[in-house]
Amino acid sequence: MEGKVFKSTGLWYEVVDNHGNHHKCRLRGKIKLKGMKTSNPIAVGDSVQFYLEDNPENTGVITKILPRNNYIVRKATQKSKQSHILAANIDQAILMVTHTYPKTSLGFIDRFLVTAESFRIPVIILFNKCDLLGEEEEGAVKKIMALYETIGYSSHLISVLEDTGIDSFFNIIKGKTSLLAGHSGVGKSSLLNKVIPDIDQKIGDVSNFANKGIHTTTFAEMFEAAPGTYLIDTPGIKELGLSEIDRQELSHYFPEMRDLLGKCKFHNCHHIHEPGCLILQSLENGDIAQTRYDSYFSMYHNEDNRR
Ligand SMILES: Nc1nc2c(ncn2[C@@H]2O[C@H](COP(=O)(O)OP(=O)(O)OP(=O)(O)O)[C@@H](O)[C@H]2O)c(=O)[nH]1
Ligand SMILES: [Mg+2]
Ligand SMILES: [Zn+2]
């Protein structure tokens, strides 16, 4: 039988077959994936082959992972060399961010965008909790949104709480498999509950003390919002490792830099301090935003970007 992995809790995988039936499956032995140091062999969104065992519980055994179209990873832990696959076979990532409560830094957004670019996964940015914004803050958020729109990332101001901008969200996800990502506490599960009313994802608090989420969602899980429309809820991301990205390649993952590449005076320009650098010129004349260049600079030097 063939199916899609909807949930993975370590030992057990929830696999949904082509008829929509859910099966509790495990892995037989070890399936080795070539050249990948990942902490999880199978991820949510994977297509697998499995058979059902002849036992009272009717559990299944996964025998094969079908080739992935793509996948997105983060480092398993901060210092870890191992990567954790967040999800596989996704059409797009929805990055949910908040200006306050909790605050999402531009550095984090840019890191996520670069990671997604490197996996060739389109990103849509949702700015949630607009109900918490004063006039001035809303102006600031709209400026940030305009910046990302210019670069090519569709950005939306929403409030899950007040039901603002949720209708148009459905058009964004229709017929696709979307990964919902962002810091803990930004409202990912809240949005899921809103668009798929018959599920009941647990919602957490944002701690008053640290202004951070409390990691309510602990496992990635896929839900079917409508036939052919899938949403993957993920645990809040604290940071993203760029382990697989080479310094030389970094500028390729900044869309606003891409067109300029190869036109600097030196063909191997790193766009840090070289004379005749077109990227630095564009920064000077405002065609490249300072915040974006700051992110480039910091990623180039492999700095931790949790500002
Ligand atoms: N003011 C306001 N609060 C919201 C909004 N959306 C969600 N919240 C609140 O934010 C808190 C966190 O929501 P969750 O949906 O659990 O956040 P999450 O992103 O799933 O967090 P993790 O599972 O920890 O990654 C809850 O108290 C929600 O009620 C919003 O639009 N406005
Ligand atoms: Mg959650
Ligand atoms: Zn340059």
Side-chain angles (χ1 to χ4, degrees):
M1 298 171 80
E2 270 183 31
K4 267 183 203 246
V5 177
F6 270 48
K7 189 178 187 176
S8 128
T9 54
L11 222 49
W12 291 99
Y13 300 92
E14 192 175 318
V15 178
V16 180
D17 66 27
N18 301 334
H19 307 288
N21 298 316
H22 291 236
H23 305 278
K24 196 176 159 185
C25 298
R26 64 198 164 79
L27 257 184
R28 158 88 16 107
K30 275 200 176 130
I31 297 185
K32 280 226 172 115
L33 293 177
K34 267 180 259 159
M36 273 182 81
K37 284 186 200 151
T38 58
S39 51
N40 54 335
I42 299 185
V44 170
D46 263 328
S47 291
V48 296
Q49 285 178 355
F50 66 105
Y51 65 85
L52 292 181
E53 287 174 301
D54 192 13
N55 62 18
E57 276 191 273
N58 235 253
T59 53
V61 178
I62 296 171
T63 51
K64 193 176 176 190
I65 309 170
L66 300 180
R68 292 178 175 136
N69 296 330
N70 62 22
Y71 57 88
I72 192 161
V73 301
R74 63 168 161 176
K75 274 195 258 176
T77 58
Q78 198 185 349
K79 294 254 151 61
S80 168
K81 288 216 168 71
Q82 269 200 335
S83 304
H84 179 86
I85 307 174
L86 268 180
N89 300 323
I90 54 185
D91 295 314
Q92 59 187 12
I94 315 267
L95 177 63
M96 190 181 250
V97 303
T98 44
H99 185 66
T100 50
Y101 214 64
K103 170 144 193 100
T104 308
S105 72
L106 296 183
F108 176 83
I109 296 178
D110 291 337
R111 241 167 213 255
F112 187 89
L113 295 176
V114 164
T115 306
E117 289 283 341
S118 76
F119 291 110
R120 292 185 183 79
I121 295 166
V123 183
I124 288 134
I125 314 175
L126 296 186
F127 291 78
N128 189 30
K129 307 200 185 184
C130 70
D131 55 284
L132 295 179
L133 302 177
E135 217 169 287
E136 215 168 279
E137 287 173 311
E138 188 168 323
V141 170
K142 283 189 169 155
K143 265 197 190 149
I144 296 169
M145 289 172 61
L147 165 62
Y148 287 106
E149 285 275 352
T150 311
I151 301 167
Y153 299 107
S154 158
S155 306
H156 307 263
L157 192 59
I158 67 161
S159 165
V160 176
L161 190 76
E162 296 190 335
D163 227 328
T164 315
I166 308 298
D167 283 352
S168 56
F169 178 69
F170 207 84
N171 294 326
I172 296 171
I173 60 169
K174 207 170 157 190
K176 296 190 165 137
T177 299
S178 307
L179 173 90
L180 205 50
H183 281 321
S184 176
V186 295
K188 300 178 295 294
S189 299
S190 305
L191 175 65
L192 229 104
N193 284 344
K194 183 131 282 175
V195 288
I196 320 176
D198 53 332
I199 62 163
D200 194 11
Q201 271 297 75
K202 226 169 121 195
I203 306 294
D205 260 332
V206 177
S207 110
N208 277 317
F209 176 66
N211 241 337
K212 289 196 167 132
I214 52 173
H215 291 276
T216 308
T217 307
T218 45
F219 291 105
E221 182 166 2
M222 185 154 76
F223 298 94
E224 192 168 14
T229 301
Y230 300 96
L231 268 175
I232 302 171
D233 195 11
T234 64
I237 307 172
K238 273 197 220 106
E239 64 203 271
L240 271 173
L242 294 171
S243 41
E244 301 191 6
I245 295 176
D246 193 56
R247 256 188 182 188
Q248 296 281 354
E249 286 173 18
L250 189 57
S251 52
H252 295 259
Y253 304 130
F254 284 77
E256 70 270 54
M257 295 185 186
R258 230 155 15 207
D259 291 344
L260 306 172
L261 299 177
K263 295 180 185 161
C264 299
K265 186 171 166 196
F266 301 111
H267 80 279
N268 60 346
C269 186
H270 293 166
H271 328 301
I272 298 294
H273 48 59
E274 294 88 339
C277 170
L278 209 58
I279 303 281
L280 290 172
Q281 261 170 44
S282 304
L283 175 67
E284 199 111 305
N285 67 28
D287 289 340
I288 289 178
Q290 185 67 48
T291 60
R292 291 279 290 170
Y293 184 77
D294 289 347
S295 292
Y296 173 79
F297 190 86
S298 136
M299 284 179 231
Y300 183 88
H301 290 101
N302 213 0
E303 286 164 5
D304 195 334
N305 221 348
R306 285 171 296 163
R307 264 179 269 144

